[in-house]
Amino acid sequence: MTDSEVLPHLRERLPDFAPAGAPVRLPGGNLNVVWRVPGEDEALIVKHAPPHIAADPSVPLDPSRILIEARCLNALDPDGALADVCTAAVRAPRLRDVDEEAFVVVMEDLGDRPSLGTWLRRQDRETLRAAAPRLGERLGAFIGRLHAATHDRPAYATVFDNRPMQETRQAVQYRAVADMLARGGVPDAEVLGDRAEALGEALLAPGRCLTMGDLWPSSVLVAGTELRLIDWELAHYGRPLQDAAHWAAHLWMHRHRAPSPAVADAAAALGASFWAAYRAALGEAGDALWTDAEHRDAAVHVGAEILVRAVGPFQDGSLYAGLDADAPAVQEAVAAAARHIRAPEEQALFDTE
């Protein structure tokens, strides 16, 4: 889909929508192409999944990922099967339309809310101290309800089977761990890489619950004490570690690269309150979902995610953007990642464990 095709698409799919201006392509998208379209009554977001990474057309990527996102938004809608997961304070965007043949999704425009990562760096110390625990609590409860409501539900396993994206993650992230560690100068890179690759292989198997799949600060938009979760195309009926450990990895990086002690403390508070609320919301599903093996595998994922941001293919746009492999901050991140993979049983996801 090109810029000139957006309005004709909307006229065909949503004839009642009255545009009030030209589509504006939004920056920052790597996987998809996204536009904001102003309207007389409401603005819309139009999202197209090409058969490759939008930022790098040389890398093929299954466009059916956008259909997984549409199914998630539909299930989380007020009339959807997972409506009880959402609250007024924490929810996903409302789905307006999905074109399964063109791989285009239309959803509500949530406005210019900052991502959680941007929010962390814009607030004063007192605001961070007061708001961060509450935001972490709300997000943790949401993810806990999502995991608990979908635990051991074969129907969801079929509807949200996103194996193509799991295979991409295996190839781009877990299988690349040995090379990333070697780039960072870790002597046992090959052994640790084998451990990460084994986790990636295990994550291809049928899962245990629906995961959001891309739980990092850029997917969490903030307005006051309300949160909106965007970018569900990596959602999958998988393992709970793919949300909790992903979140833990990014909060570790935000603490590590914090511009001030107040930001570092707020990132830690986000993690602690997230984990407490998440485990409480899991209820009886908690023991089944979080075994000792899940904790160990979660630590391996933390290491793999730190690596891919600090010294891997997703360094651009990350907190380590522009740094060489021998930069002190990158070396510290690589060492932390190696520790998580080398001795996962000794690592805590969050400081409260």
Side-chain angles (χ1 to χ4, degrees):
M1 174 176 278
T2 63
D3 294 358
S4 63
E5 293 173 320
V6 174
L7 288 182
H9 178 88
L10 288 175
R11 281 195 292 269
E12 178 184 348
R13 302 290 303 189
L14 295 170
D16 293 335
F17 174 70
V24 177
R25 189 178 295 213
L26 299 182
N30 289 321
L31 298 184
N32 308 299
V33 187
V34 184
W35 296 267
R36 169 176 284 141
V37 184
E40 293 182 1
D41 298 318
E42 65 170 341
L44 296 175
I45 296 295
V46 178
K47 192 175 197 179
H48 169 56
H52 51 74
I53 292 178
D56 187 354
S58 67
V59 180
L61 195 64
D62 192 323
S64 66
R65 61 189 184 272
I66 202 77
L67 306 184
I68 292 290
E69 176 164 23
R71 290 171 196 164
C72 287
L73 299 187
N74 186 56
L76 293 165
D77 187 81
D79 296 323
L82 297 176
D84 290 345
V85 170
C86 300
T87 66
V90 188
R91 63 174 178 84
R94 305 286 190 232
L95 180 67
R96 294 291 187 255
D97 182 66
V98 53
D99 185 336
E100 297 190 2
E101 294 184 1
F103 300 106
V104 176
V105 164
V106 181
M107 66 189 77
E108 71 168 315
D109 178 17
L110 297 170
D112 292 319
R113 301 169 183 243
S115 70
L116 187 58
T118 299
W119 178 88
L120 274 172
R121 283 161 169 72
R122 288 182 178 174
Q123 310 307 311
D124 59 49
R125 180 187 305 176
E126 292 307 313
T127 300
L128 288 171
R129 184 178 298 169
R134 182 59 172 157
L135 294 179
E137 177 185 350
R138 285 184 164 177
L139 182 62
F142 176 93
I143 297 298
R145 291 192 298 270
L146 178 68
H147 289 182
T150 58
H151 173 235
D152 197 21
R153 300 287 293 275
Y156 288 116
T158 300
V159 172
F160 298 106
D161 178 8
N162 201 1
R163 185 181 175 95
M165 292 306 298
Q166 293 292 95
E167 291 173 342
T168 297
R169 284 184 139 174
Q170 165 71 324
V172 173
Q173 183 169 43
Y174 302 112
R175 198 173 292 154
V177 161
D179 288 341
M180 290 187 288
L181 287 171
R183 198 175 308 138
V186 175
D188 55 344
E190 186 172 346
V191 172
L192 301 184
D194 288 344
R195 183 170 294 173
E197 187 171 348
L199 172 60
E201 190 67 29
L203 292 174
L204 297 177
R208 301 171 187 164
C209 62
L210 177 60
T211 61
M212 189 270 173
D214 199 18
L215 192 63
W216 67 309
S218 291
S219 294
V220 182
L221 305 184
V222 184
T225 58
E226 293 187 354
L227 301 174
R228 299 291 181 262
L229 273 68
I230 62 171
D231 296 338
W232 289 75
E233 64 265 25
L234 300 186
H236 176 64
Y237 198 82
R239 301 257 301 272
L241 71 88
Q242 290 184 281
D243 281 340
H246 208 68
W247 184 241
H250 282 275
L251 291 184
W252 184 93
M253 288 183 273
H254 274 274
R255 294 198 306 272
H256 182 228
R257 298 291 288 160
S260 70
V263 172
D265 290 345
L270 279 167
S273 57
F274 171 93
W275 185 246
Y278 169 71
R279 289 306 305 257
L282 284 179
E284 296 179 356
D287 289 341
L289 287 172
W290 281 95
T291 62
D292 290 343
E294 193 72 10
H295 275 275
R296 289 193 297 271
D297 286 347
V300 175
H301 177 81
V302 169
E305 183 62 17
I306 292 173
L307 285 171
V308 83
R309 303 289 174 173
V311 72
F314 301 146
Q315 188 192 44
D316 287 347
S318 81
L319 297 172
Y320 302 89
L323 298 179
D324 294 332
D326 58 355
V330 172
Q331 284 292 301
E332 291 164 2
V334 169
R339 286 196 303 272
H340 278 80
I341 302 171
R342 187 181 296 119
E345 67 283 349
E346 298 176 8
Q347 312 303 317
L349 285 186
F350 303 100
D351 291 341
T352 57
E353 292 182 78

